[in-house]
Amino acid sequence: MTTGLWTILLLVGSNLFMTFAWYGHLKFGDRPLWLVIAVSWGIAFFEYCLQVPANRIGYHVFTAGQLKTIQEVVTLLVFAGFSVLYLGEALTWRHLGAFTCLVGAVLFMFADKL
């Protein structure tokens, strides 16, 4: 498996953890805030265990700006799935618009590789 693919897979995994850390508690509004903060911090630990290696490995083939752009695209895709599957929210034209803007960002960041 290539370094770039490993990087992307690690970023997807880290983003799954972070999305749950940041938004998973929204279904548990009756729980004390201190508890959801503690649980979120525990989940975020695993996000860092994937995020840091992804950036370290990926920096051998991508620039820092390219890594961040990949992360933002992964973030939007993971969050869209999370919104629909976990929170039960519908995707709208705004999600498509945001994703379209990120595709533009990808084109700018990777223009030298096209």
Side-chain angles (χ1 to χ4, degrees):
M1 198 175 308
T2 67
T3 303
L5 186 55
W6 268 115
T7 299
I8 292 168
L9 290 174
L10 287 168
L11 289 173
V12 168
S14 76
N15 208 279
L16 286 167
F17 280 109
M18 203 60 190
T19 300
F20 272 97
W22 284 10
Y23 301 102
H25 63 87
L26 295 177
K27 285 184 118 178
F28 303 99
D30 60 328
R31 303 290 161 60
L33 186 56
W34 69 267
L35 179 62
V36 296
I37 290 171
V39 170
S40 292
W41 272 71
I43 295 169
F45 168 78
F46 296 102
E47 185 268 341
Y48 276 85
C49 288
L50 298 174
Q51 178 72 27
V52 171
N55 286 329
R56 182 166 287 199
I57 292 166
Y59 194 60
H60 294 289
V61 293
F62 301 114
T63 66
Q66 289 170 334
L67 281 168
K68 184 60 181 170
T69 303
I70 294 167
Q71 176 62 30
E72 294 303 327
V73 170
V74 168
T75 297
L76 186 59
L77 291 172
V78 168
F79 188 76
F82 178 86
S83 294
V84 171
L85 300 173
Y86 185 77
L87 296 176
E89 296 181 358
L91 294 180
T92 68
W93 65 270
R94 294 179 310 213
H95 294 91
L96 180 60
F99 187 71
T100 301
C101 290
L102 280 176
V103 168
V106 169
L107 292 175
F108 279 113
M109 286 305 291
F110 288 88
D112 62 332
K113 298 189 187 277
L114 298 176

